[in-house]
Amino acid sequence: MARAVAARLITRIVDAQAARGTASVVLTGGRNGNALLAALAESPARDAVDWARLDLWWGDERFLPDGDPERNVTQAATLLDAVPLDPARVHPMAASDGPYGSDVEAAAEAYAAELAAAAEPGDHGRVPAFDVLMLGVGPDAHVASLFPEHPAVRELTRTVVGVHGSPKPPPTRLSLTLPAIRAAHEVWLLAAGDDKAGAVALALSAPGELQAPASGAHGLSRTLWLLDRAAASKLPPQLYPSASS
């Protein structure tokens, strides 16, 4: 699945750069997101992308010290070290030992300000109109660091929030909110493995974003679920047609 998504993403970036000169992508961490980054780094088609004209953002981050192996940006080194990116176009979220120290709310406000500064007049809201925003789907149907029934998933106005008391360690995180996610042209939700099957089925049964935050993640022009057979195994047939259909 990671290789297939990597090929699709390369095509989407190339198309955006051909149309506008630049492209903007939001990365996700976790098992599926990191597998995708490795597949991008290894793809024989990767040189079709003008990496110097690509903006990279993150959907969420663990609020840990810089260089911590659990941080999404640290794990993204698989890709970041493999392609000629412009450092000014790589936008990591702050670390807990960064300029805002342990103040996760200040770090969230700073990332929101960086997003707002990159937004153009024609964009929807106070974030850039990302070409693709990728999200891993957790076993509880969380996306980014928006967990079921958690205060962050209820946010309607801010684009970035500090997350306290996350049910998944570490407890303190930074996350884009659903309003920021919904400003992307395309939202891609990634899930692979048996442990994701229940979450995928729940989210696609439209239970509401409070119960299943993944169900509230959608793009302005397209929402794409990218699943392997195991993750799709609990979907009704009408939602997951066979390859011959």
Side-chain angles (χ1 to χ4, degrees), residues 24-26 56-59 91 93 108-120 123 125-130 133 158-161 175-177 180-181:
S24 181
V25 171
V26 178
L56 292 180
W57 303 84
W58 272 262
H91 308 274
M93 292 178 168
E109 290 177 8
Y111 205 68
E114 188 174 356
L115 287 165
E120 298 181 357
D123 292 340
R126 293 163 291 142
V127 298
F130 309 113
L133 185 149
R158 291 180 292 172
T159 58
V160 187
V161 291
S175 183
L176 298 189
T177 61
I181 290 169

PDB file of all heavy atoms in Angstrom, residues 24-26 56-59 91 93 108-120 123 125-130 133 158-161 175-177 180-181:
ATOM      1  N   SER A  24       2.108  21.806  -2.153  1.00  0.00           N
ATOM      2  CA  SER A  24       2.077  21.851  -0.697  1.00  0.00           C
ATOM      3  C   SER A  24       1.436  20.566  -0.174  1.00  0.00           C
ATOM      4  O   SER A  24       0.332  20.210  -0.585  1.00  0.00           O
ATOM      5  CB  SER A  24       1.270  23.070  -0.221  1.00  0.00           C
ATOM      6  OG  SER A  24       1.234  23.145   1.179  1.00  0.00           O
ATOM      7  N   VAL A  25       2.149  19.885   0.718  1.00  0.00           N
ATOM      8  CA  VAL A  25       1.693  18.591   1.230  1.00  0.00           C
ATOM      9  C   VAL A  25       1.817  18.589   2.750  1.00  0.00           C
ATOM     10  O   VAL A  25       2.793  19.108   3.300  1.00  0.00           O
ATOM     11  CB  VAL A  25       2.533  17.440   0.638  1.00  0.00           C
ATOM     12  CG1 VAL A  25       2.221  16.115   1.326  1.00  0.00           C
ATOM     13  CG2 VAL A  25       2.282  17.324  -0.871  1.00  0.00           C
ATOM     14  N   VAL A  26       0.841  17.996   3.409  1.00  0.00           N
ATOM     15  CA  VAL A  26       0.886  17.800   4.861  1.00  0.00           C
ATOM     16  C   VAL A  26       1.191  16.329   5.127  1.00  0.00           C
ATOM     17  O   VAL A  26       0.460  15.444   4.662  1.00  0.00           O
ATOM     18  CB  VAL A  26      -0.438  18.205   5.528  1.00  0.00           C
ATOM     19  CG1 VAL A  26      -0.373  17.948   7.038  1.00  0.00           C
ATOM     20  CG2 VAL A  26      -0.752  19.661   5.255  1.00  0.00           C
ATOM     21  N   LEU A  56       6.444  21.326   2.798  1.00  0.00           N
ATOM     22  CA  LEU A  56       6.039  20.214   3.648  1.00  0.00           C
ATOM     23  C   LEU A  56       5.607  20.736   5.016  1.00  0.00           C
ATOM     24  O   LEU A  56       6.327  21.502   5.656  1.00  0.00           O
ATOM     25  CB  LEU A  56       7.190  19.219   3.824  1.00  0.00           C
ATOM     26  CG  LEU A  56       7.608  18.414   2.585  1.00  0.00           C
ATOM     27  CD1 LEU A  56       8.760  17.484   2.925  1.00  0.00           C
ATOM     28  CD2 LEU A  56       6.437  17.618   2.021  1.00  0.00           C
ATOM     29  N   TRP A  57       4.435  20.319   5.430  1.00  0.00           N
ATOM     30  CA  TRP A  57       3.872  20.656   6.739  1.00  0.00           C
ATOM     31  C   TRP A  57       3.567  19.360   7.473  1.00  0.00           C
ATOM     32  O   TRP A  57       3.631  18.271   6.900  1.00  0.00           O
ATOM     33  CB  TRP A  57       2.596  21.480   6.579  1.00  0.00           C
ATOM     34  CG  TRP A  57       2.756  22.747   5.785  1.00  0.00           C
ATOM     35  CD1 TRP A  57       2.722  22.884   4.420  1.00  0.00           C
ATOM     36  CD2 TRP A  57       2.986  24.061   6.300  1.00  0.00           C
ATOM     37  NE1 TRP A  57       2.908  24.188   4.059  1.00  0.00           N
ATOM     38  CE2 TRP A  57       3.074  24.937   5.190  1.00  0.00           C
ATOM     39  CE3 TRP A  57       3.112  24.590   7.585  1.00  0.00           C
ATOM     40  CZ2 TRP A  57       3.285  26.311   5.326  1.00  0.00           C
ATOM     41  CZ3 TRP A  57       3.323  25.955   7.731  1.00  0.00           C
ATOM     42  CH2 TRP A  57       3.404  26.795   6.613  1.00  0.00           C
ATOM     43  N   TRP A  58       3.196  19.470   8.743  1.00  0.00           N
ATOM     44  CA  TRP A  58       2.801  18.290   9.523  1.00  0.00           C
ATOM     45  C   TRP A  58       1.408  18.490  10.096  1.00  0.00           C
ATOM     46  O   TRP A  58       1.026  19.608  10.483  1.00  0.00           O
ATOM     47  CB  TRP A  58       3.798  18.031  10.655  1.00  0.00           C
ATOM     48  CG  TRP A  58       4.936  17.172  10.208  1.00  0.00           C
ATOM     49  CD1 TRP A  58       5.057  15.824  10.390  1.00  0.00           C
ATOM     50  CD2 TRP A  58       6.105  17.579   9.477  1.00  0.00           C
ATOM     51  NE1 TRP A  58       6.234  15.381   9.815  1.00  0.00           N
ATOM     52  CE2 TRP A  58       6.894  16.435   9.242  1.00  0.00           C
ATOM     53  CE3 TRP A  58       6.551  18.812   8.981  1.00  0.00           C
ATOM     54  CZ2 TRP A  58       8.099  16.476   8.554  1.00  0.00           C
ATOM     55  CZ3 TRP A  58       7.766  18.860   8.286  1.00  0.00           C
ATOM     56  CH2 TRP A  58       8.519  17.704   8.085  1.00  0.00           C
ATOM     57  N   GLY A  59       0.659  17.384  10.153  1.00  0.00           N
ATOM     58  CA  GLY A  59      -0.690  17.433  10.706  1.00  0.00           C
ATOM     59  C   GLY A  59      -0.711  17.406  12.218  1.00  0.00           C
ATOM     60  O   GLY A  59      -1.644  17.922  12.840  1.00  0.00           O
ATOM     61  N   HIS A  91       8.382  22.745   7.245  1.00  0.00           N
ATOM     62  CA  HIS A  91       7.738  23.458   8.355  1.00  0.00           C
ATOM     63  C   HIS A  91       7.398  22.507   9.503  1.00  0.00           C
ATOM     64  O   HIS A  91       6.232  22.118   9.682  1.00  0.00           O
ATOM     65  CB  HIS A  91       6.457  24.138   7.857  1.00  0.00           C
ATOM     66  CG  HIS A  91       6.643  24.993   6.641  1.00  0.00           C
ATOM     67  ND1 HIS A  91       7.042  26.306   6.715  1.00  0.00           N
ATOM     68  CD2 HIS A  91       6.495  24.707   5.318  1.00  0.00           C
ATOM     69  CE1 HIS A  91       7.117  26.813   5.487  1.00  0.00           C
ATOM     70  NE2 HIS A  91       6.791  25.865   4.624  1.00  0.00           N
ATOM     71  N   MET A  93       6.642  21.346  13.385  1.00  0.00           N
ATOM     72  CA  MET A  93       6.073  21.942  14.590  1.00  0.00           C
ATOM     73  C   MET A  93       7.150  22.008  15.672  1.00  0.00           C
ATOM     74  O   MET A  93       8.107  21.228  15.662  1.00  0.00           O
ATOM     75  CB  MET A  93       4.877  21.127  15.068  1.00  0.00           C
ATOM     76  CG  MET A  93       3.677  21.199  14.139  1.00  0.00           C
ATOM     77  SD  MET A  93       2.304  20.174  14.722  1.00  0.00           S
ATOM     78  CE  MET A  93       0.975  20.741  13.647  1.00  0.00           C
ATOM     79  N   ALA A 108       1.515  26.114  19.606  1.00  0.00           N
ATOM     80  CA  ALA A 108       0.372  25.979  18.694  1.00  0.00           C
ATOM     81  C   ALA A 108       0.051  27.306  18.023  1.00  0.00           C
ATOM     82  O   ALA A 108      -0.201  27.359  16.807  1.00  0.00           O
ATOM     83  CB  ALA A 108      -0.846  25.462  19.462  1.00  0.00           C
ATOM     84  N   GLU A 109       0.086  28.380  18.790  1.00  0.00           N
ATOM     85  CA  GLU A 109      -0.188  29.706  18.220  1.00  0.00           C
ATOM     86  C   GLU A 109       0.865  30.079  17.174  1.00  0.00           C
ATOM     87  O   GLU A 109       0.543  30.669  16.136  1.00  0.00           O
ATOM     88  CB  GLU A 109      -0.223  30.751  19.330  1.00  0.00           C
ATOM     89  CG  GLU A 109      -1.441  30.632  20.248  1.00  0.00           C
ATOM     90  CD  GLU A 109      -1.405  31.638  21.379  1.00  0.00           C
ATOM     91  OE1 GLU A 109      -0.519  32.527  21.371  1.00  0.00           O
ATOM     92  OE2 GLU A 109      -2.261  31.539  22.286  1.00  0.00           O
ATOM     93  N   ALA A 110       2.107  29.713  17.425  1.00  0.00           N
ATOM     94  CA  ALA A 110       3.180  30.025  16.482  1.00  0.00           C
ATOM     95  C   ALA A 110       2.994  29.264  15.174  1.00  0.00           C
ATOM     96  O   ALA A 110       3.203  29.822  14.086  1.00  0.00           O
ATOM     97  CB  ALA A 110       4.534  29.697  17.104  1.00  0.00           C
ATOM     98  N   TYR A 111       2.598  28.003  15.255  1.00  0.00           N
ATOM     99  CA  TYR A 111       2.393  27.233  14.022  1.00  0.00           C
ATOM    100  C   TYR A 111       1.180  27.756  13.268  1.00  0.00           C
ATOM    101  O   TYR A 111       1.192  27.827  12.032  1.00  0.00           O
ATOM    102  CB  TYR A 111       2.238  25.754  14.337  1.00  0.00           C
ATOM    103  CG  TYR A 111       2.621  24.842  13.181  1.00  0.00           C
ATOM    104  CD1 TYR A 111       3.944  24.751  12.759  1.00  0.00           C
ATOM    105  CD2 TYR A 111       1.679  24.068  12.523  1.00  0.00           C
ATOM    106  CE1 TYR A 111       4.315  23.919  11.709  1.00  0.00           C
ATOM    107  CE2 TYR A 111       2.028  23.221  11.477  1.00  0.00           C
ATOM    108  CZ  TYR A 111       3.353  23.156  11.071  1.00  0.00           C
ATOM    109  OH  TYR A 111       3.712  22.340  10.023  1.00  0.00           O
ATOM    110  N   ALA A 112       0.152  28.141  14.000  1.00  0.00           N
ATOM    111  CA  ALA A 112      -1.015  28.740  13.363  1.00  0.00           C
ATOM    112  C   ALA A 112      -0.640  30.020  12.632  1.00  0.00           C
ATOM    113  O   ALA A 112      -1.115  30.288  11.516  1.00  0.00           O
ATOM    114  CB  ALA A 112      -2.097  29.014  14.399  1.00  0.00           C
ATOM    115  N   ALA A 113       0.243  30.825  13.243  1.00  0.00           N
ATOM    116  CA  ALA A 113       0.690  32.065  12.605  1.00  0.00           C
ATOM    117  C   ALA A 113       1.516  31.764  11.358  1.00  0.00           C
ATOM    118  O   ALA A 113       1.415  32.477  10.342  1.00  0.00           O
ATOM    119  CB  ALA A 113       1.503  32.892  13.596  1.00  0.00           C
ATOM    120  N   GLU A 114       2.334  30.714  11.410  1.00  0.00           N
ATOM    121  CA  GLU A 114       3.131  30.339  10.237  1.00  0.00           C
ATOM    122  C   GLU A 114       2.226  29.881   9.095  1.00  0.00           C
ATOM    123  O   GLU A 114       2.452  30.217   7.925  1.00  0.00           O
ATOM    124  CB  GLU A 114       4.119  29.232  10.628  1.00  0.00           C
ATOM    125  CG  GLU A 114       5.125  28.903   9.539  1.00  0.00           C
ATOM    126  CD  GLU A 114       6.188  27.907  10.000  1.00  0.00           C
ATOM    127  OE1 GLU A 114       6.187  27.531  11.193  1.00  0.00           O
ATOM    128  OE2 GLU A 114       7.010  27.513   9.151  1.00  0.00           O
ATOM    129  N   LEU A 115       1.207  29.129   9.420  1.00  0.00           N
ATOM    130  CA  LEU A 115       0.242  28.709   8.409  1.00  0.00           C
ATOM    131  C   LEU A 115      -0.479  29.910   7.808  1.00  0.00           C
ATOM    132  O   LEU A 115      -0.651  30.006   6.588  1.00  0.00           O
ATOM    133  CB  LEU A 115      -0.774  27.745   9.026  1.00  0.00           C
ATOM    134  CG  LEU A 115      -0.276  26.337   9.343  1.00  0.00           C
ATOM    135  CD1 LEU A 115      -1.258  25.637  10.272  1.00  0.00           C
ATOM    136  CD2 LEU A 115      -0.091  25.522   8.064  1.00  0.00           C
ATOM    137  N   ALA A 116      -0.901  30.824   8.660  1.00  0.00           N
ATOM    138  CA  ALA A 116      -1.634  32.002   8.186  1.00  0.00           C
ATOM    139  C   ALA A 116      -0.755  32.851   7.268  1.00  0.00           C
ATOM    140  O   ALA A 116      -1.237  33.399   6.264  1.00  0.00           O
ATOM    141  CB  ALA A 116      -2.131  32.823   9.368  1.00  0.00           C
ATOM    142  N   ALA A 117       0.528  32.946   7.593  1.00  0.00           N
ATOM    143  CA  ALA A 117       1.439  33.738   6.769  1.00  0.00           C
ATOM    144  C   ALA A 117       1.636  33.118   5.393  1.00  0.00           C
ATOM    145  O   ALA A 117       1.916  33.827   4.418  1.00  0.00           O
ATOM    146  CB  ALA A 117       2.779  33.891   7.478  1.00  0.00           C
ATOM    147  N   ALA A 118       1.493  31.801   5.302  1.00  0.00           N
ATOM    148  CA  ALA A 118       1.673  31.104   4.026  1.00  0.00           C
ATOM    149  C   ALA A 118       0.393  31.058   3.201  1.00  0.00           C
ATOM    150  O   ALA A 118       0.443  30.720   2.014  1.00  0.00           O
ATOM    151  CB  ALA A 118       2.168  29.684   4.284  1.00  0.00           C
ATOM    152  N   ALA A 119      -0.739  31.378   3.817  1.00  0.00           N
ATOM    153  CA  ALA A 119      -2.008  31.356   3.091  1.00  0.00           C
ATOM    154  C   ALA A 119      -2.069  32.506   2.095  1.00  0.00           C
ATOM    155  O   ALA A 119      -1.556  33.595   2.355  1.00  0.00           O
ATOM    156  CB  ALA A 119      -3.173  31.427   4.069  1.00  0.00           C
ATOM    157  N   GLU A 120      -2.703  32.255   0.973  1.00  0.00           N
ATOM    158  CA  GLU A 120      -2.872  33.268  -0.053  1.00  0.00           C
ATOM    159  C   GLU A 120      -4.312  33.768  -0.051  1.00  0.00           C
ATOM    160  O   GLU A 120      -5.207  33.116   0.508  1.00  0.00           O
ATOM    161  CB  GLU A 120      -2.491  32.702  -1.419  1.00  0.00           C
ATOM    162  CG  GLU A 120      -1.026  32.288  -1.481  1.00  0.00           C
ATOM    163  CD  GLU A 120      -0.625  31.751  -2.838  1.00  0.00           C
ATOM    164  OE1 GLU A 120      -1.498  31.646  -3.723  1.00  0.00           O
ATOM    165  OE2 GLU A 120       0.566  31.446  -3.013  1.00  0.00           O
ATOM    166  N   ASP A 123      -7.095  31.325  -0.743  1.00  0.00           N
ATOM    167  CA  ASP A 123      -7.196  30.109   0.054  1.00  0.00           C
ATOM    168  C   ASP A 123      -8.396  30.178   0.991  1.00  0.00           C
ATOM    169  O   ASP A 123      -8.899  31.246   1.324  1.00  0.00           O
ATOM    170  CB  ASP A 123      -5.912  29.888   0.860  1.00  0.00           C
ATOM    171  CG  ASP A 123      -4.723  29.554  -0.025  1.00  0.00           C
ATOM    172  OD1 ASP A 123      -4.946  29.133  -1.175  1.00  0.00           O
ATOM    173  OD2 ASP A 123      -3.574  29.727   0.425  1.00  0.00           O
ATOM    174  N   GLY A 125      -9.709  30.150   4.367  1.00  0.00           N
ATOM    175  CA  GLY A 125      -9.376  30.271   5.773  1.00  0.00           C
ATOM    176  C   GLY A 125      -7.944  30.703   6.003  1.00  0.00           C
ATOM    177  O   GLY A 125      -7.280  31.244   5.122  1.00  0.00           O
ATOM    178  N   ARG A 126      -7.451  30.405   7.194  1.00  0.00           N
ATOM    179  CA  ARG A 126      -6.150  30.906   7.639  1.00  0.00           C
ATOM    180  C   ARG A 126      -5.042  29.869   7.514  1.00  0.00           C
ATOM    181  O   ARG A 126      -4.087  29.865   8.281  1.00  0.00           O
ATOM    182  CB  ARG A 126      -6.281  31.379   9.081  1.00  0.00           C
ATOM    183  CG  ARG A 126      -7.182  32.605   9.239  1.00  0.00           C
ATOM    184  CD  ARG A 126      -7.617  32.791  10.676  1.00  0.00           C
ATOM    185  NE  ARG A 126      -8.530  31.733  11.099  1.00  0.00           N
ATOM    186  CZ  ARG A 126      -8.536  31.177  12.309  1.00  0.00           C
ATOM    187  NH1 ARG A 126      -7.659  31.570  13.212  1.00  0.00           N
ATOM    188  NH2 ARG A 126      -9.404  30.234  12.604  1.00  0.00           N
ATOM    189  N   VAL A 127      -5.172  29.013   6.530  1.00  0.00           N
ATOM    190  CA  VAL A 127      -4.125  28.033   6.222  1.00  0.00           C
ATOM    191  C   VAL A 127      -3.972  27.975   4.710  1.00  0.00           C
ATOM    192  O   VAL A 127      -4.892  28.323   3.972  1.00  0.00           O
ATOM    193  CB  VAL A 127      -4.468  26.629   6.773  1.00  0.00           C
ATOM    194  CG1 VAL A 127      -4.572  26.650   8.290  1.00  0.00           C
ATOM    195  CG2 VAL A 127      -5.738  26.096   6.156  1.00  0.00           C
ATOM    196  N   PRO A 128      -2.813  27.520   4.230  1.00  0.00           N
ATOM    197  CA  PRO A 128      -2.685  27.324   2.783  1.00  0.00           C
ATOM    198  C   PRO A 128      -3.678  26.265   2.311  1.00  0.00           C
ATOM    199  O   PRO A 128      -4.072  25.376   3.076  1.00  0.00           O
ATOM    200  CB  PRO A 128      -1.245  26.834   2.624  1.00  0.00           C
ATOM    201  CG  PRO A 128      -0.544  27.202   3.889  1.00  0.00           C
ATOM    202  CD  PRO A 128      -1.585  27.180   4.958  1.00  0.00           C
ATOM    203  N   ALA A 129      -4.072  26.363   1.046  1.00  0.00           N
ATOM    204  CA  ALA A 129      -4.928  25.334   0.457  1.00  0.00           C
ATOM    205  C   ALA A 129      -4.021  24.179   0.037  1.00  0.00           C
ATOM    206  O   ALA A 129      -3.572  24.096  -1.104  1.00  0.00           O
ATOM    207  CB  ALA A 129      -5.706  25.892  -0.720  1.00  0.00           C
ATOM    208  N   PHE A 130      -3.707  23.296   0.986  1.00  0.00           N
ATOM    209  CA  PHE A 130      -2.784  22.197   0.735  1.00  0.00           C
ATOM    210  C   PHE A 130      -3.256  21.373  -0.462  1.00  0.00           C
ATOM    211  O   PHE A 130      -4.443  21.073  -0.591  1.00  0.00           O
ATOM    212  CB  PHE A 130      -2.686  21.295   1.963  1.00  0.00           C
ATOM    213  CG  PHE A 130      -2.408  22.021   3.248  1.00  0.00           C
ATOM    214  CD1 PHE A 130      -3.363  22.072   4.253  1.00  0.00           C
ATOM    215  CD2 PHE A 130      -1.187  22.650   3.463  1.00  0.00           C
ATOM    216  CE1 PHE A 130      -3.109  22.727   5.444  1.00  0.00           C
ATOM    217  CE2 PHE A 130      -0.920  23.309   4.657  1.00  0.00           C
ATOM    218  CZ  PHE A 130      -1.895  23.354   5.649  1.00  0.00           C
ATOM    219  N   LEU A 133      -3.369  16.599   1.985  1.00  0.00           N
ATOM    220  CA  LEU A 133      -3.171  16.497   3.426  1.00  0.00           C
ATOM    221  C   LEU A 133      -3.397  15.041   3.795  1.00  0.00           C
ATOM    222  O   LEU A 133      -4.481  14.507   3.572  1.00  0.00           O
ATOM    223  CB  LEU A 133      -4.132  17.411   4.171  1.00  0.00           C
ATOM    224  CG  LEU A 133      -3.970  17.509   5.690  1.00  0.00           C
ATOM    225  CD1 LEU A 133      -4.391  18.892   6.191  1.00  0.00           C
ATOM    226  CD2 LEU A 133      -4.789  16.439   6.419  1.00  0.00           C
ATOM    227  N   ARG A 158      -9.879  27.742  15.995  1.00  0.00           N
ATOM    228  CA  ARG A 158      -8.419  27.722  15.846  1.00  0.00           C
ATOM    229  C   ARG A 158      -7.990  26.685  14.809  1.00  0.00           C
ATOM    230  O   ARG A 158      -8.695  25.700  14.570  1.00  0.00           O
ATOM    231  CB  ARG A 158      -7.758  27.418  17.187  1.00  0.00           C
ATOM    232  CG  ARG A 158      -7.892  28.547  18.216  1.00  0.00           C
ATOM    233  CD  ARG A 158      -7.219  28.186  19.525  1.00  0.00           C
ATOM    234  NE  ARG A 158      -7.915  27.112  20.208  1.00  0.00           N
ATOM    235  CZ  ARG A 158      -7.462  26.485  21.295  1.00  0.00           C
ATOM    236  NH1 ARG A 158      -6.284  26.827  21.809  1.00  0.00           N
ATOM    237  NH2 ARG A 158      -8.177  25.532  21.861  1.00  0.00           N
ATOM    238  N   THR A 159      -6.847  26.923  14.181  1.00  0.00           N
ATOM    239  CA  THR A 159      -6.329  25.986  13.189  1.00  0.00           C
ATOM    240  C   THR A 159      -5.337  24.991  13.777  1.00  0.00           C
ATOM    241  O   THR A 159      -5.137  23.911  13.229  1.00  0.00           O
ATOM    242  CB  THR A 159      -5.665  26.738  12.029  1.00  0.00           C
ATOM    243  OG1 THR A 159      -4.612  27.571  12.549  1.00  0.00           O
ATOM    244  CG2 THR A 159      -6.675  27.605  11.296  1.00  0.00           C
ATOM    245  N   VAL A 160      -4.698  25.356  14.892  1.00  0.00           N
ATOM    246  CA  VAL A 160      -3.734  24.487  15.568  1.00  0.00           C
ATOM    247  C   VAL A 160      -3.999  24.573  17.060  1.00  0.00           C
ATOM    248  O   VAL A 160      -4.244  25.666  17.586  1.00  0.00           O
ATOM    249  CB  VAL A 160      -2.272  24.912  15.281  1.00  0.00           C
ATOM    250  CG1 VAL A 160      -1.295  23.881  15.855  1.00  0.00           C
ATOM    251  CG2 VAL A 160      -2.033  25.093  13.789  1.00  0.00           C
ATOM    252  N   VAL A 161      -3.947  23.445  17.733  1.00  0.00           N
ATOM    253  CA  VAL A 161      -4.187  23.442  19.175  1.00  0.00           C
ATOM    254  C   VAL A 161      -3.130  22.613  19.888  1.00  0.00           C
ATOM    255  O   VAL A 161      -2.523  21.707  19.306  1.00  0.00           O
ATOM    256  CB  VAL A 161      -5.586  22.863  19.528  1.00  0.00           C
ATOM    257  CG1 VAL A 161      -6.685  23.802  19.064  1.00  0.00           C
ATOM    258  CG2 VAL A 161      -5.771  21.472  18.948  1.00  0.00           C
ATOM    259  N   SER A 175      -1.571  19.698  17.232  1.00  0.00           N
ATOM    260  CA  SER A 175      -2.380  19.116  16.160  1.00  0.00           C
ATOM    261  C   SER A 175      -3.096  20.185  15.353  1.00  0.00           C
ATOM    262  O   SER A 175      -3.567  21.190  15.904  1.00  0.00           O
ATOM    263  CB  SER A 175      -3.429  18.155  16.746  1.00  0.00           C
ATOM    264  OG  SER A 175      -4.177  17.534  15.722  1.00  0.00           O
ATOM    265  N   LEU A 176      -3.177  19.952  14.042  1.00  0.00           N
ATOM    266  CA  LEU A 176      -4.145  20.704  13.247  1.00  0.00           C
ATOM    267  C   LEU A 176      -5.537  20.336  13.714  1.00  0.00           C
ATOM    268  O   LEU A 176      -5.779  19.233  14.219  1.00  0.00           O
ATOM    269  CB  LEU A 176      -4.009  20.365  11.760  1.00  0.00           C
ATOM    270  CG  LEU A 176      -2.700  20.681  11.043  1.00  0.00           C
ATOM    271  CD1 LEU A 176      -2.874  20.460   9.542  1.00  0.00           C
ATOM    272  CD2 LEU A 176      -2.228  22.095  11.309  1.00  0.00           C
ATOM    273  N   THR A 177      -6.467  21.241  13.543  1.00  0.00           N
ATOM    274  CA  THR A 177      -7.864  20.998  13.894  1.00  0.00           C
ATOM    275  C   THR A 177      -8.644  20.583  12.647  1.00  0.00           C
ATOM    276  O   THR A 177      -8.155  20.678  11.519  1.00  0.00           O
ATOM    277  CB  THR A 177      -8.491  22.262  14.483  1.00  0.00           C
ATOM    278  OG1 THR A 177      -8.444  23.295  13.480  1.00  0.00           O
ATOM    279  CG2 THR A 177      -7.743  22.714  15.728  1.00  0.00           C
ATOM    280  N   ALA A 180      -8.834  23.283   9.925  1.00  0.00           N
ATOM    281  CA  ALA A 180      -7.617  23.377   9.123  1.00  0.00           C
ATOM    282  C   ALA A 180      -7.523  22.218   8.143  1.00  0.00           C
ATOM    283  O   ALA A 180      -7.136  22.396   6.980  1.00  0.00           O
ATOM    284  CB  ALA A 180      -6.395  23.397  10.041  1.00  0.00           C
ATOM    285  N   ILE A 181      -7.866  21.029   8.596  1.00  0.00           N
ATOM    286  CA  ILE A 181      -7.827  19.849   7.727  1.00  0.00           C
ATOM    287  C   ILE A 181      -8.778  20.032   6.551  1.00  0.00           C
ATOM    288  O   ILE A 181      -8.440  19.732   5.391  1.00  0.00           O
ATOM    289  CB  ILE A 181      -8.174  18.585   8.536  1.00  0.00           C
ATOM    290  CG1 ILE A 181      -7.030  18.248   9.505  1.00  0.00           C
ATOM    291  CG2 ILE A 181      -8.486  17.404   7.618  1.00  0.00           C
ATOM    292  CD1 ILE A 181      -7.375  17.193  10.537  1.00  0.00           C
TER     293      ILE A 181
END
